[in-house]
């Protein structure tokens, strides 16, 4: 079993369940937040190995939450991967400038999603079952 914890910051219940189910099936531990402020608090409290951050969130959007995380001594080294459904010209630059390591467009390709997670976490890519 993998010894990695992933924080999922996602306000859509269906997307949250999808990411949780995929990650748990692959052996990752998950923690969850449904808005940007909660995500910041959970990251500080649990110090996950990776954060999947939706960009369009209530209370505080994903860009602002990531900026706060990257300015905090406790959370600045956590890998943050943006999840976005509305990739417009210039969005990638904004996402990376906020401190995200990368971004994954929704809807996600399961194969690409798992491949990228393995890369981010320094693990060998597994064959999908």
């Amino acid at each position: 079993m993998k010894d990695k914890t992933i924080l999922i910051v996602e306000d859509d219940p269906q997307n949250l369940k999808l990411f949780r189910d995929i990650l748990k099936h692959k052996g990752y531990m998950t923690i969850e937040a449904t808005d940007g402020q909660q995500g910041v608090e959970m990251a500080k409290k649990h110090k996950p190995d990776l954060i999947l951050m939706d960009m369009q969130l209530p209370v505080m959007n994903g860009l602002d939450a990531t900026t706060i995380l990257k300015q905090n001594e406790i959370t600045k080294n956590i890998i943050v991967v943006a999840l976005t459904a509305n990739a417009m010209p210039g969005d990638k630059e904004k996402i990376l400038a906020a401190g995200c390591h990368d971004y994954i467009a929704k809807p996600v390709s399961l194969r690409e999603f798992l491949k990228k997670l393995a890369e981010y976490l320094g693990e060998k890519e597994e064959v999908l079952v």
Side-chain angles (χ1 to χ4, degrees):
M1 181 179 246
K2 295 173 176 66
D3 190 25
K4 304 283 184 180
T5 300
I6 299 174
L7 169 58
I8 308 164
V9 187
E10 171 65 67
D11 63 322
D12 181 275
Q14 289 180 317
N15 286 338
L16 183 61
K17 180 180 181 340
L18 174 67
F19 292 125
R20 177 193 324 123
D21 291 350
I22 290 168
L23 295 171
K24 287 194 174 194
H25 176 73
K26 296 307 269 182
Y28 295 107
M29 294 184 55
T30 63
I31 48 179
E32 302 162 10
T34 55
D35 67 55
Q37 182 63 46
Q38 249 185 5
V40 170
E41 292 166 8
M42 296 291 282
K44 288 177 184 176
K45 181 178 178 181
H46 296 283
K47 299 172 203 76
D49 297 286
L50 185 137
I51 300 170
L52 295 174
M53 179 77 72
D54 186 20
M55 290 292 102
Q56 296 182 345
L57 293 164
V59 183
M60 177 189 301
N61 69 44
L63 285 176
D64 291 344
T66 299
T67 299
I68 289 169
L69 291 170
K70 292 302 176 178
Q71 293 172 347
N72 185 290
E73 201 59 37
I74 296 168
T75 57
K76 71 179 183 181
N77 294 319
I78 299 172
I79 297 169
V80 179
V81 178
L83 299 170
T84 181
N86 301 324
M88 302 297 287
D91 282 356
K92 181 176 182 177
E93 291 76 16
K94 288 179 195 169
I95 288 167
L96 296 177
C100 291
H101 184 78
D102 196 3
Y103 81 99
I104 298 173
K106 294 189 230 174
V108 300
S109 153
L110 181 58
R111 182 175 300 278
E112 190 63 26
F113 177 70
L114 293 173
K115 180 180 177 188
K116 285 189 175 198
L117 280 186
E119 287 174 19
Y120 304 143
L121 296 170
E123 298 177 345
K124 186 179 176 189
E125 180 184 351
E126 296 179 16
V127 177
L128 292 175
V129 285

